[in-house]
Amino acid sequence: MKFVSYECNGLEQYGIVDDQTGDILNLSQIAIIKEIDDFPLTLLEGIKQGDHFITTIQKVMDSLEQDYSSFLLKKDSLKWLSPISHPPKNVICVGKNYREHAIEMGSEADIPEHVMIFTKATTAITGHLSNIDLHSEVTSELDYEGELAVVIGKGGKNISESDALKHVFGYTILNDITARDLQKRHKQFFIGKSLDTSCPIGPWIIHHSQIKNPNNLDITTKVNNEVRQNSNTKHFIFPIEEVISTLSKGMTLEPGDIIATGTPAGVGKGFKPPIFLKRNDQIDITIEGIGTLTNKVQ
Ligand code: MG
């Protein structure tokens, strides 16, 4: 299942992608019409319900039988939101998790020995097809970072590496937009990583059952249709299990927490001279088995 959140009649609603048409089955509307008890109002609420949520959706689907076309929303008519607009914590990000990227940002000496973590403010989150603000009044070095993101399903603390993937609800795509000049000036990454609209997420969360091995997925970023990043998550320095386990040592992970797993080589700053984003640039990040997240700079 691919879970999406969108705005409909001014309200946040959610649904799943219909595999036949690519349109969206409006679960929020079905829940109201079919009077299903304790049906969650948002996707985050659903994720908090754990396996019960998936069972409920299955029941809903069965009750529709063949005639579900009246509950389909045309994908082109939606305002896409991030599948989760307000995660419980800041968006958690792994820095320098691909060797070649660590080198392009500095040198071999920048390859980390331990998982490196920073966060992005939740107010930076935006959805598929939304515009990324160039913020030319505060930065002249806006850059992209295509990344696989993990969404926590079952919370926990002191999670072992062998149990880590059992805590994942699903996977999505995240663009870790970064103001390089602010990132450098303020030492800590927070400001440079948190400008409004600098965290596009989507278009959907794909359920973990549909991704066999998240540590082996092709990832490509294009800017104006030109390939800038082209790698595979098998090149992670710290695989997802290690990232989750490390984060959870003494710190509670909660359902809906989002973890961006780091970006491969090929960011704008890595070019000589650097190529930063400009108005009207379109960024497409594609991850094997998930889909493509598209945003334009305005
Ligand atoms: Mg990043």
Side-chain angles (χ1 to χ4, degrees):
M1 287 181 204
K2 292 173 180 160
F3 295 87
V4 300
S5 294
Y6 47 88
E7 196 179 293
C8 189
N9 303 323
L11 293 172
E12 179 177 337
Q13 300 193 341
Y14 70 99
I16 52 176
V17 178
D18 176 47
D19 288 332
Q20 309 276 326
T21 59
D23 290 332
I24 310 299
L25 192 59
N26 186 338
L27 290 178
S28 301
Q29 189 194 10
I30 296 168
I32 293 166
I33 290 173
K34 299 269 179 184
E35 297 179 339
I36 297 163
D37 286 341
D38 75 351
F39 201 82
L41 292 174
T42 65
L43 181 54
L44 179 57
E45 289 304 314
I47 292 171
K48 286 180 184 169
Q49 288 185 357
D51 293 342
H52 177 66
F53 179 48
I54 303 296
T55 314
T56 309
I57 292 173
Q58 215 62 62
K59 265 191 222 158
V60 168
M61 303 290 283
D62 294 345
S63 75
L64 294 177
E65 293 162 356
Q66 292 306 309
D67 183 30
Y68 61 85
S69 55
S70 61
F71 294 111
L72 282 179
L73 293 168
K74 290 278 172 208
K75 61 177 183 290
D76 300 330
S77 68
L78 300 174
K79 179 175 192 264
W80 296 73
L81 302 174
S82 166
I84 297 175
S85 303
H86 300 283
K89 297 183 184 66
N90 276 2
V91 177
I92 301 166
C93 302
V94 182
K96 297 176 182 160
N97 200 15
Y98 292 79
R99 203 174 168 276
E100 302 306 319
H101 173 62
I103 293 170
E104 76 176 343
M105 296 301 280
S107 66
E108 295 257 351
D110 292 281
I111 298 168
E113 283 177 41
H114 302 282
V115 179
M116 178 184 160
I117 299 289
F118 61 90
T119 72
K120 293 171 85 77
T122 56
T123 40
I125 292 175
T126 190
H128 174 57
L129 298 180
S130 67
N131 288 336
I132 296 165
D133 191 333
L134 191 60
H135 288 287
S136 53
E137 72 289 359
V138 290
T139 177
S140 54
E141 298 188 355
L142 205 69
D143 205 351
Y144 54 85
E145 294 189 355
E147 307 197 11
L148 172 69
V150 174
V151 178
I152 295 295
K154 186 176 147 205
K157 195 157 110 175
N158 302 327
I159 300 166
S160 67
E161 287 187 29
S162 57
D163 279 343
L165 294 187
K166 295 178 195 154
H167 288 261
V168 174
F169 174 78
Y171 301 92
T172 186
I173 306 169
L174 188 149
N175 191 345
D176 177 17
I177 293 282
T178 306
R180 299 292 180 204
D181 38 7
L182 299 182
Q183 182 185 25
K184 192 172 171 207
R185 185 186 310 153
H186 297 280
K187 307 298 178 201
Q188 297 260 335
F189 289 2
F190 188 59
I191 294 177
K193 293 283 189 176
S194 294
L195 299 180
D196 288 356
T197 70
S198 69
C199 191
I201 302 174
W204 43 66
I205 298 170
I206 189 160
H207 192 247
H208 67 83
S209 58
Q210 286 167 277
I211 299 289
K212 270 196 195 133
N213 181 5
N215 297 302
N216 188 8
L217 301 173
D218 288 335
I219 175 166
T220 308
T221 304
K222 292 180 183 174
V223 178
N224 302 328
N225 228 18
E226 174 191 309
V227 176
R228 297 279 185 87
Q229 299 184 287
N230 189 13
S231 188
N232 185 292
T233 60
K234 71 183 175 195
H235 298 301
F236 282 149
I237 299 171
F238 309 105
I240 291 168
E241 293 88 335
E242 188 175 349
V243 170
I244 291 174
S245 178
T246 303
L247 277 167
S248 76
K249 281 180 183 146
M251 178 168 71
T252 303
L253 289 177
E254 300 165 277
D257 276 338
I258 299 169
I259 306 168
T261 56
T263 201
V267 300
K269 188 173 171 57
F271 286 83
K272 303 223 175 354
I275 316 170
F276 294 116
L277 291 167
K278 55 187 192 311
R279 207 170 297 282
N280 294 321
D281 279 350
Q282 179 174 313
I283 310 158
D284 297 291
I285 304 167
T286 302
I287 300 182
E288 181 185 359
I290 304 181
T292 299
L293 170 68
T294 298
N295 296 91
K296 226 173 181 183
V297 179
Q298 282 298 326

